[in-house]
Amino acid sequence: MGLGKSSKVFPRILNVFAPQHPAQVIVLGFAAAIAVGTVLLMLPVSRNGPGSAPFMDALFTSTSSVCVTGLVTVDTPVYWSGFGKVVILALIQIGGFGVMSFGTLLGVLLARRLGLRSRLASAAESQATGLGAVRQVILGVLAISLAVEVILAGLLAARYVDGYGYSPGRALWHGIFHSVSAFNNAGFALHSDSLMGFAGDPWICLPIAAAAIIGGLGFPVLFELHRQYRRPIHWSMNTKLVLVGTAALLVGGAGFLTAVEWSNPATLGGLRPGERVLAGFFQSVIARTAGFNSIDIGQMHPVSWLGMDILMFIGGGPAGTAGGLKITTFGVLFFILVTELRGGTSVNIFGKQLPRAVQRQAITVVLLSIALVVGSTVFLMLITDFGQERILLEVVSAFATAGLSTGITAALPPAGQLVLVLLMFVGRLGPATLGAALALRERPVLYDYPKERPLIG
């Protein structure tokens, strides 16, 4: 068989065994990235000290990086070497950008053309409006990501030099690492106490919070704001839901956490009034999946943990770097509730009618997610001695890829850590891929069953 014929036969063989559904491609892509990251982190060069990292620590860190979560079983700045931290940074960038989007970007840069399967998978992951728009969407995502990360890295590096006496090289490395981690809502930090040493510094906290907010809005919203920022009347339902929901959560979350923790000497109580407001706002922003902390999460009141559970579970905007079930999902549920309470016949949002299929998808995703969180919480309560409040925060943090922790992750048994690994994986992929799968599984029905109503309430 000639070389030309074999080069044509091999792709055909691959197509036979390759997954056909875009959601399957995305899942396998993320799994492959996690596997490669695990292997790299298990290399002796990735760890400070003798030997290589244990499999579970490498797997957990790789999953947390690719799924842009921030939960850790080891102290990141102490345990991992410079090479290991570079691996973590690369995994964060790939995971936040999207594994399939990253692969598509390489295809655009190297081959200058995309296959149908690549376009389908990238469209499902990035939620592009059409197959022809995939190239533009991917390049737009790259431009926004690099612009925000470069600007934030410069601001942070300048502050590290001017305010803390870092050498230029160290300041630039810290600026780049925290910039990528912040924009991708990952929460990995190069300080053992995360950002607690900068709790009262607005030149560190506010730029990081701004990057987390921008990344959490979602790329579709950022694209639309860029195109039509002067014409809000033409904004889509998705953009309006994300912007209104984000503003409400930022204000409500900041007010709640600041009020509850105001007099807690172990958290906000030890700061000056202005610093308390800053730290309360920062923690509210970060709770919606960014993973940093400027105060000790383990010393917060249990009611604050519950408030952060809610913020983490809701998360940010779709098709962005944030996790959670997305603001739009809960916005749909809110308007369904309002419609039922008012006795309406159709759900209307910002002057547009919501399709019933979208309502069913939102309810399905939320109920399945609640079942997963509850089941995981019960399992961890059975195999550990930690209290329900701490376990629930850890579970929600993993599922919402938020990264906040009361400090119990490293103390969990291997089975418990494996549960968190699965939660991070499902949480990063589940809502998006499940939504795409539900939308693609619609089939025309040629008959109806007789109608009957059970008693409700």
Side-chain angles (χ1 to χ4, degrees):
M1 182 179 293
L3 180 61
K5 291 183 178 180
S6 63
S7 63
K8 294 179 180 180
V9 171
F10 185 66
R12 293 175 183 173
I13 296 176
L14 289 180
N15 285 334
V16 173
F17 296 98
Q20 301 300 314
H21 197 291
Q24 295 176 330
V25 180
I26 295 172
V27 170
L28 292 177
F30 269 84
I34 291 171
V36 172
T38 301
V39 172
L40 291 176
L41 291 176
M42 289 183 67
L43 297 175
V45 70
S46 296
R47 178 186 177 184
N48 284 323
S52 58
F55 171 75
M56 182 54 70
D57 289 332
L59 173 65
F60 196 98
T61 303
S62 178
T63 304
S64 185
S65 301
V66 174
C67 297
V68 290
T69 304
L71 288 175
V72 293
T73 56
V74 295
D75 190 349
T76 300
V78 175
Y79 189 86
W80 300 110
S81 66
F83 177 81
K85 293 167 188 171
V86 171
V87 170
I88 292 173
L89 187 66
L91 294 176
I92 291 172
Q93 187 70 78
I94 293 173
F97 190 76
V99 171
M100 298 315 303
S101 298
F102 182 77
T104 302
L105 174 64
L106 293 181
V108 170
L109 297 178
L110 298 178
R112 299 292 180 182
R113 61 189 181 89
L114 300 174
L116 178 60
R117 182 175 290 115
S118 296
R119 286 188 288 164
L120 286 171
S122 299
E125 184 180 62
S126 62
Q127 298 191 16
T129 55
L131 294 182
V134 171
R135 183 191 299 266
Q136 289 74 17
V137 169
I138 298 303
L139 293 178
V141 169
L142 176 65
I144 292 174
S145 301
L146 292 181
V148 174
E149 290 172 358
V150 168
I151 293 173
L152 177 58
L155 293 174
L156 293 178
R159 181 57 179 168
Y160 286 136
V161 171
D162 181 63
Y164 300 93
Y166 285 21
S167 65
R170 184 189 179 198
L172 182 60
W173 166 238
H174 278 244
I176 293 174
F177 190 96
H178 292 113
S179 172
V180 173
S181 184
F183 177 73
N184 290 287
N185 280 245
F188 280 87
L190 294 179
H191 309 281
S192 297
D193 60 354
S194 190
L195 299 180
M196 290 176 60
F198 309 96
D201 190 344
W203 298 102
I204 295 291
C205 292
L206 290 182
I208 288 179
I213 293 172
I214 293 173
L217 289 177
F219 293 109
V221 173
L222 296 177
F223 291 153
E224 188 165 1
L225 291 179
H226 174 70
R227 293 193 306 265
Q228 304 191 54
Y229 66 95
R230 292 183 178 179
R231 298 185 294 175
I233 192 172
H234 296 297
W235 290 351
S236 65
M237 181 190 298
N238 178 78
T239 295
K240 292 178 181 179
L241 280 174
V242 170
L243 293 179
V244 172
T246 297
L249 291 173
L250 287 177
V251 174
F256 175 79
L257 292 179
T258 303
V260 173
E261 297 294 327
W262 186 267
S263 300
N264 185 350
T267 56
L268 298 184
L271 303 174
R272 293 191 292 268
E275 295 175 343
R276 298 183 195 183
V277 174
L278 173 64
F281 170 76
F282 181 80
Q283 209 55 61
S284 172
V285 172
I286 296 309
R288 294 179 46 245
T289 83
F292 297 106
N293 62 282
S294 62
I295 56 178
D296 190 347
I297 302 297
Q299 299 297 321
M300 297 178 75
H301 293 302
V303 67
S304 297
W305 293 340
L306 180 59
M308 289 193 298
D309 288 340
I310 297 173
L311 292 174
M312 290 188 295
F313 196 64
I314 295 175
T321 61
L325 291 188
K326 312 306 181 187
I327 295 173
T328 48
T329 302
F330 282 88
V332 167
L333 294 183
F334 172 78
F335 281 100
I336 291 175
L337 174 63
V338 170
T339 301
E340 289 298 321
L341 293 177
R342 291 180 174 178
T345 56
S346 62
V347 179
N348 301 314
I349 304 178
F350 302 125
K352 300 289 183 63
Q353 184 173 328
L354 190 70
R356 290 188 177 274
V358 177
Q359 301 175 39
R360 295 195 304 269
Q361 291 168 19
I363 294 172
T364 301
V365 170
V366 170
L367 290 179
L368 288 177
S369 300
I370 291 175
L372 184 60
V373 168
V374 171
S376 301
T377 301
V378 171
F379 177 76
L380 291 182
M381 289 178 67
L382 291 174
I383 66 172
T384 68
D385 296 326
F386 296 111
Q388 179 265 326
E389 297 94 344
R390 291 179 181 271
I391 290 178
L392 179 62
L393 186 137
E394 218 79 10
V395 167
V396 174
S397 179
F399 176 74
T401 66
L404 295 179
S405 173
T406 60
I408 68 173
T409 298
L412 291 175
Q417 293 179 356
L418 186 59
V419 167
L420 295 186
V421 166
L422 295 175
L423 283 172
M424 288 187 287
F425 188 77
V426 173
R428 182 70 176 99
L429 300 175
T433 54
L434 178 59
L438 290 174
L440 292 172
R441 285 175 60 86
E442 291 181 1
R443 296 289 186 272
V445 178
L446 303 180
Y447 59 90
D448 286 323
Y449 288 103
K451 293 182 179 180
E452 184 176 351
R453 296 185 60 179
L455 298 177
I456 302 298

